[in-house]
Amino acid sequence: MLRVAEHVELTDTGLQRRANEDAFLARAPLFVVADGMGGAQAGEVASQSAIEVLSRGIGDSADGSLEERLSAAVQAANAKIHGLSIADDERAGMGTTVTAAYIGESDVTLVHVGDSRCYRWRAAQLERLTDDHSLVEEMVRQGQLTEQEALEHPQRSIITRALGPEAEVEPDSQTVDGRGGDLLLLCSDGLTTMITDDEIAEILRSNTQLTAASRALIAAANKAGGRDNITVVLLRLEELDLDPQEAEQTQVGVSTAGLAAAAPSSPSSDQPAAVEQRIPQQARVTEKRRRRFKPGLGTLLVIFASALLLSGVYFASQAIYFVGADNEGFVSVYQGVPYELPLGINLYREDYVSGINLSQLPSAQRATITDHRLRARSDADDLVRQLELGQLGSGSP
Ligand code: CA
């Protein structure tokens, strides 16, 4: 089973533009880059609208295949942007690219319009997975331009397909296999019109940390002139081993009855900010957000949990996981047991934050998440994964 092990998103205005009309979404399992165009902030409206529509999710398996659902979401974004553009003269003709990657159980679904790109880095080889809907790429395909000439062509930013300009749009969609260790790079043309695929590959080869690689990509595009906004979404896939034997072993000797009943309260309103860093080239980094929740615990529970700690259960607890929601309501997998001792000692740590919010779920599923039942890692991961894939019926465990 595939999962996103880590991801980093960076967007930078570049050196020549005043505003940044790029936008991105990074909420596992869905990752999107949108590059807006149009005067008087219309480009920002277009790209943000695409992200906003896609962030609502893509329905569940009853609505069709992943390709169909992701394409439908992109078409809905097109309808929204087109509607906005014909309602306001200042926004007439605005548009945006969109490149979306949905990380499924064993595959990656890509839906794409325009000249933003998705690349896959596997076994130290860079492979571009999307075709640009651009004038120069069509000329390259027809043999009228070389790749190098395309990079220098004055009309290299003219795209032949976008969200917004027309009432209907036909996105490209495809499903590619994903493997543990793969990196996926989604980026706007502010990267790829400034540096070549070989340069991207060299940067990924020499920067194994995602943050360092993303920063190096932005820095290279700026060093080459930074003529446009640059956005980089970089994610690393991992393969989860759902060996049933492992699940069994983890559950042995753990009595969950008393613990589950004394689970922490629902998410508090304490909102930790997203981690945002500034780097010299005005770039923004949003890394995987770290969230906590504050269970309101009674004295008895503290004594009980302290006794558990003292009796060495703490060590055993590290093989235990539970599913809960962080204080923003996002369904998460925690390692440990759902208790917090005085002096801020947690008996759990966040292992994974999904893009699924409790508020999106029917009440039966909400109850499953908030009962904080102790689970084997594979079981906890699987539960969240099924929610992410929209496959969990309301009667499931
Ligand atoms: Ca651009």
Side-chain angles (χ1 to χ4, degrees), residues 46-370:
S47 61
Q48 290 292 344
S49 298
I51 296 301
E52 196 252 315
V53 172
L54 284 164
S55 67
R56 292 179 207 155
I58 61 168
D60 59 33
S61 50
D63 301 321
S65 69
L66 280 170
E67 279 188 37
E68 288 166 342
R69 286 147 58 199
L70 192 52
S71 296
V74 164
Q75 282 161 333
N78 179 67
K80 165 150 189 191
I81 297 160
H82 184 65
L84 289 172
S85 79
I86 55 181
D88 181 344
D89 283 349
E90 291 217 321
R91 295 173 177 171
M94 73 175 175
T96 184
T97 71
V98 68
T99 298
Y102 188 99
I103 314 307
E105 195 103 25
S106 56
D107 298 316
V108 176
T109 301
L110 297 172
V111 169
H112 157 75
V113 173
D115 64 354
S116 300
R117 292 181 181 175
C118 180
Y119 291 89
R120 178 173 58 203
W121 174 254
R122 174 186 288 173
Q125 297 297 320
L126 187 70
E127 184 185 357
R128 172 142 66 101
L129 301 175
T130 50
D131 292 326
D132 292 351
H133 301 138
S134 71
L135 197 61
V136 290
E137 183 143 316
E138 280 177 17
M139 291 167 80
V140 170
R141 276 197 289 267
Q142 289 161 15
Q144 296 168 12
L145 284 181
T146 65
E147 291 276 357
Q148 193 55 41
E149 286 167 342
L151 271 179
E152 303 296 325
H153 199 278
Q155 290 176 315
R156 66 188 170 278
S157 62
I158 292 182
I159 58 177
T160 51
R161 241 190 273 178
L163 302 193
E166 310 282 341
E168 303 279 336
V169 72
E170 195 192 322
D172 285 352
S173 70
Q174 60 177 318
T175 302
V176 299
D177 77 309
R179 291 185 203 156
D182 283 356
L183 297 190
L184 291 179
L185 166 66
L186 279 67
C187 57
S188 61
D189 72 328
L191 180 72
T192 53
T193 54
M194 292 288 103
I195 63 173
T196 64
D197 287 6
D198 286 346
E199 288 168 303
I200 293 173
E202 188 46 48
I203 287 169
L204 294 179
R205 192 169 292 119
S206 51
N207 294 272
T208 53
Q209 301 295 318
L210 296 195
T211 302
S214 303
R215 291 179 178 185
L217 288 168
I218 301 266
N222 277 325
K223 196 172 168 217
R227 282 190 292 237
D228 198 358
N229 309 143
I230 310 147
T231 298
V232 167
V233 172
L234 198 55
L235 57 109
R236 189 192 312 277
L237 299 180
E238 68 180 351
E239 204 118 26
L240 283 185
D241 183 15
L242 287 184
D243 179 4
Q245 232 182 351
E246 176 210 339
E248 226 168 77
Q249 280 166 1
T250 313
Q251 275 165 341
V252 164
V254 178
S255 162
T256 69
L259 299 175
S265 60
S266 57
S268 80
S269 57
D270 177 20
Q271 300 273 333
V275 177
E276 273 217 350
Q277 307 169 353
R278 292 223 156 249
I279 71 165
Q281 298 85 15
Q282 303 151 304
R284 292 203 309 268
V285 183
T286 56
E287 299 187 52
K288 238 178 136 175
R289 292 189 286 180
R290 292 276 148 211
R291 306 186 185 103
R292 295 177 299 120
F293 60 72
K294 268 197 218 160
L297 293 174
T299 312
L300 278 177
L301 179 53
V302 171
I303 293 167
F304 179 46
S306 303
L308 282 182
L309 177 69
L310 292 173
S311 64
V313 170
Y314 171 79
F315 297 102
S317 75
Q318 299 310 290
I320 303 169
Y321 290 74
F322 66 98
V323 177
D326 67 14
N327 55 12
E328 291 176 54
F330 287 99
V331 174
S332 304
V333 174
Y334 298 93
Q335 181 182 23
V337 291
Y339 301 105
E340 192 173 291
L341 299 179
L343 307 172
I345 301 167
N346 291 336
L347 295 185
Y348 57 85
R349 62 166 201 89
E350 179 191 290
D351 186 55
Y352 177 68
V353 182
S354 78
I356 305 288
N357 199 282
L358 270 189
S359 60
Q360 294 169 262
L361 300 175
S363 58
Q365 287 184 3
R366 268 208 302 274
T368 303
I369 300 309
T370 52

